[in-house]
Amino acid sequence: MTDKKPKNVFKQGAISSEFIGESIAKHQTKTSIGAHNIFLGQVRADVIDGKTVTAIEYTAYEDMANAKFDEIRETAFEKFELTCMHIYHSLGVVKAGEICLFVFVSSPKRKVVFKALEYIVEEIKAQVPVFGKEIFEDDSHQWKKNM
Amino acid sequence: MTDKKPKNVFKQGAISSEFIGESIAKHQTKTSIGAHNIFLGQVRADVIDGKTVTAIEYTAYEDMANAKFDEIRETAFEKFELTCMHIYHSLGVVKAGEICLFVFVSSPKRKVVFKALEYIVEEIKAQVPVFGKEIFEDDSHQWKKNM
Amino acid sequence: MIITIKYFGLIAEVTNQSEESIDFSGRLISDLLNTLYAKYPDLKNKDFQVAQNQELVSESTEITGQELALLPPFSGG
Amino acid sequence: MIITIKYFGLIAEVTNQSEESIDFSGRLISDLLNTLYAKYPDLKNKDFQVAQNQELVSESTEITGQELALLPPFSGG
C-alpha cells in the first residue's frame, strides 16, 4: 500500500459508447502507440429458471476495490511494455445490453496488448470486491457469480 | 472458395473513433453478448535513420485480400463461439496517430474473445495481401514489413 | 474493544445492514466469526471471505481492529 | 498465350507499372519468373510471392493463365 490515494475507477451507471469513442480519440496524439486492445463487459439478458435478467445492480467495497485496481494497474505496467492503461467499472444499475466494464491498453507493439489485456481482465474478475445483483423482469433478484 | 462475393473490408482513409463508438453502440441490442474485444492498429510515428514516419499509404490486392478476410472470418466462427465479428482495414493515406485496422469480436463469454481476437489479428498480418508504404516527413518512403 | 464491520451483497442481506459496530473481546478472525454466527445463524451457510484493512485474511489472523469486511464472491465485470 | 500480371508495393516500383499483359509460352511459374527477371533484373533481389487465381503458388506450379500477381511481404494493420 502506498500513501497516495488510488484513482477512482468507478462510474455511476452504464459506460456509454460515446465515452469509449472519446477515449480512443484521445490516444491519437500518442504516436508511439501501434496497437490498442479494448475489453468491454456487457450485461447479458440471461434466462434463469424461466426469468430474464433485465439489469445488474453493482455495488463495491469501493476503497478496497480502487486499491486493488491500482495494484493490478501497477503490476501490469511492470509485466508488460504498455504506453497507457485505463480501467472503468460501473456502479449502480446497468441494463441488459449496456456496458459495465471498459479496459483499454495501448502499446507500441501488438503482441504485448493481447497478453496484458487478458491478464488485467482476469485479475479484475478474481481480485476486485465488486458485487453484481442480477435483477429479473419480476423485480426478484439473485447475486451473480463469476465463472 | 465460395461463389458468393466476399464482403468489402476496406475503407478509404483512417478509421474514425466515432465509427468505432457507433459500432459498439449497435451491439447493445444483442443482449446475449457478455464480452467484446476490440483490436485497433494505429500508425506509429517511428523514427528510422533520423527521419520520422508521418503517414502510411496502404494499397492491397483487394479481391484476394477480401477473399482472405472472408476465409479468416469463416474459420474464426468455426473455431470460436462468437456472436459477431467485424473487420475494417484502411486503404490510402493514414496519418501517424490514426487508426488503420479495427477488429471487433463479441461472445457470450469472455474467455473466448481473447483467443479469437488474437487469432484473427495474427491471421490478418500473415495472410492478407495489404502493403504499407511508410512516408517520411521529407516525402521519401520505405515499404513496411510486419514483425 | 468496539470494532466496525462492513457487509456487502448477499451478506448484507443476511445481516440486514451494510455496517455495524460491535463490542468484541476475542483475538482472532475465527473468534469474530463465531460471534457473528451466533448473531446471524444464516451466515454459516454462506460463501464469503473476510478482509481486514482492505486485504483478505484467514480465520487465524489476529484482529487489529482496523476496517473489517465480510465479502461474498466477487462478480465484477 | 497472353497473360496478365499484377504488381504491388515495392514490386510495382521495380516494374514501374501495376499491371501488364505479356505474350508468354512457358508452362510453369518458374518459367514466367525467368522471363520477368530478364525484363526486370532488379526483381531478382526482391522478396516476393506469386499468386495465381488469388492463391499463393510455388515456382513449380503450372500456369493456368488466370489472374497472376507478384506480392511483396504483407504489411497490413
Side-chain angles (χ1 to χ4, degrees):
Chain A
M1 282 228 181
T2 59
D3 283 341
K4 75 171 179 357
K5 191 163 164 67
K7 219 178 131 176
N8 180 24
V9 160
F10 292 106
K11 287 177 74 77
Q12 203 58 40
I15 297 162
S16 74
S17 56
E18 292 80 11
F19 179 81
I20 297 162
E22 285 159 21
S23 298
I24 294 166
K26 278 184 195 156
H27 287 77
Q28 307 207 324
T29 54
K30 302 202 177 174
T31 56
S32 66
I33 293 173
H36 304 287
N37 199 352
I38 293 171
F39 179 85
L40 303 173
Q42 182 167 301
V43 173
R44 277 198 314 266
D46 281 352
V47 178
I48 300 166
D49 296 337
K51 294 189 294 186
T52 304
V53 172
T54 58
I56 295 180
E57 184 179 359
Y58 286 103
T59 51
Y61 182 9
E62 289 187 53
D63 287 347
M64 178 174 165
N66 278 314
K68 287 289 167 194
F69 278 123
D70 211 52
E71 270 179 49
I72 293 169
R73 193 185 291 109
E74 295 294 321
T75 309
F77 269 119
E78 278 164 31
K79 285 173 79 90
F80 306 102
E81 190 204 344
L82 296 176
T83 312
C84 300
M85 180 189 332
H86 303 279
I87 307 173
Y88 300 94
H89 198 295
S90 294
L91 283 184
V93 174
V94 180
K95 288 190 282 233
E98 292 184 330
I99 289 163
C100 56
L101 173 62
F102 170 26
V103 184
F104 187 176
V105 298
S106 309
S107 169
K109 306 250 173 64
R110 77 176 180 284
K111 306 252 184 209
V112 172
V113 294
F114 297 117
K115 288 185 181 52
L117 187 70
E118 184 166 10
Y119 170 83
I120 294 164
V121 172
E122 294 303 323
E123 286 291 296
I124 291 172
K125 297 269 179 183
Q127 308 285 350
V128 180
V130 174
F131 313 102
K133 185 163 88 170
E134 293 178 313
I135 300 169
F136 296 103
E137 47 201 340
D138 63 357
D139 285 337
S140 63
H141 71 263
Q142 73 170 23
W143 291 90
K144 192 177 167 234
K145 289 192 187 185
N146 276 349
M147 299 299 168
Chain B
M1 286 226 179
T2 57
D3 284 340
K4 75 172 176 3
K5 193 163 163 66
K7 219 179 133 176
N8 180 25
V9 160
F10 292 106
K11 286 176 74 78
Q12 204 58 40
I15 296 162
S16 74
S17 57
E18 291 80 10
F19 179 80
I20 298 162
E22 285 159 22
S23 299
I24 294 167
K26 278 183 195 155
H27 288 76
Q28 308 206 324
T29 53
K30 302 201 177 174
T31 55
S32 66
I33 293 173
H36 304 288
N37 200 352
I38 293 171
F39 179 86
L40 303 173
Q42 183 166 301
V43 172
R44 277 198 315 266
D46 281 352
V47 178
I48 300 166
D49 296 336
K51 294 190 294 186
T52 304
V53 173
T54 58
I56 295 181
E57 185 179 359
Y58 287 103
T59 50
Y61 184 7
E62 289 186 55
D63 286 346
M64 178 174 165
N66 277 316
K68 287 289 168 195
F69 278 123
D70 211 51
E71 270 178 50
I72 294 169
R73 193 184 292 110
E74 295 293 322
T75 309
F77 270 119
E78 277 163 29
K79 286 174 78 90
F80 306 102
E81 189 204 343
L82 296 176
T83 312
C84 300
M85 179 188 334
H86 304 277
I87 307 174
Y88 300 94
H89 198 297
S90 294
L91 282 185
V93 174
V94 181
K95 288 191 282 231
E98 292 183 330
I99 289 163
C100 56
L101 174 61
F102 170 27
V103 184
F104 187 177
V105 297
S106 309
S107 171
K109 305 250 173 65
R110 78 176 179 283
K111 306 252 184 209
V112 172
V113 293
F114 296 117
K115 288 186 179 51
L117 187 70
E118 183 165 10
Y119 170 82
I120 295 164
V121 172
E122 294 303 324
E123 286 291 296
I124 291 172
K125 297 269 177 184
Q127 308 285 349
V128 180
V130 174
F131 313 102
K133 185 163 89 169
E134 294 178 312
I135 300 168
F136 297 104
E137 47 202 341
D138 64 357
D139 285 337
S140 63
H141 72 263
Q142 73 170 21
W143 290 91
K144 192 177 168 232
K145 288 191 187 184
N146 276 350
M147 300 300 170
Chain C
M1 64 182 158
I2 303 289
I3 60 171
T4 300
I5 313 160
K6 292 171 188 279
Y7 304 113
F8 291 92
L10 179 61
I11 303 300
E13 289 186 348
V14 171
T15 61
N16 208 23
Q17 55 194 338
S18 63
E19 188 172 325
E20 69 176 323
S21 295
I22 60 172
D23 191 357
F24 177 70
S25 57
R27 196 172 68 88
L28 303 180
I29 296 290
S30 56
D31 300 327
L32 175 65
L33 290 179
N34 286 329
T35 302
L36 294 176
Y37 290 152
K39 193 167 176 188
Y40 307 108
D42 282 353
L43 262 191
K44 264 193 188 143
N45 316 313
K46 303 302 177 194
D47 184 12
F48 65 88
Q49 295 177 287
V50 180
Q52 177 166 252
N53 197 20
Q54 299 178 17
E55 292 291 342
L56 298 178
V57 290
S58 73
E59 297 209 357
S60 59
T61 304
E62 280 200 37
I63 291 177
T64 61
Q66 289 175 286
E67 215 169 304
L68 284 159
L70 265 53
L71 307 173
F74 304 166
S75 52
Chain D
M1 65 180 156
I2 305 287
I3 60 171
T4 301
I5 312 161
K6 293 170 188 280
Y7 304 114
F8 292 91
L10 179 61
I11 302 301
E13 289 186 347
V14 171
T15 62
N16 207 24
Q17 55 195 338
S18 61
E19 187 171 327
E20 70 175 324
S21 294
I22 61 171
D23 192 356
F24 177 71
S25 58
R27 197 173 65 89
L28 303 180
I29 296 290
S30 56
D31 301 326
L32 175 66
L33 290 178
N34 287 329
T35 302
L36 294 175
Y37 290 150
K39 192 169 177 187
Y40 309 108
D42 283 354
L43 262 191
K44 264 193 188 138
N45 318 313
K46 303 303 178 195
D47 183 13
F48 65 88
Q49 296 177 285
V50 181
Q52 177 166 254
N53 196 20
Q54 299 178 18
E55 292 292 340
L56 298 178
V57 291
S58 74
E59 299 208 356
S60 59
T61 303
E62 280 200 38
I63 291 178
T64 60
Q66 289 176 285
E67 214 171 303
L68 284 158
L70 265 53
L71 306 174
F74 304 165
S75 52

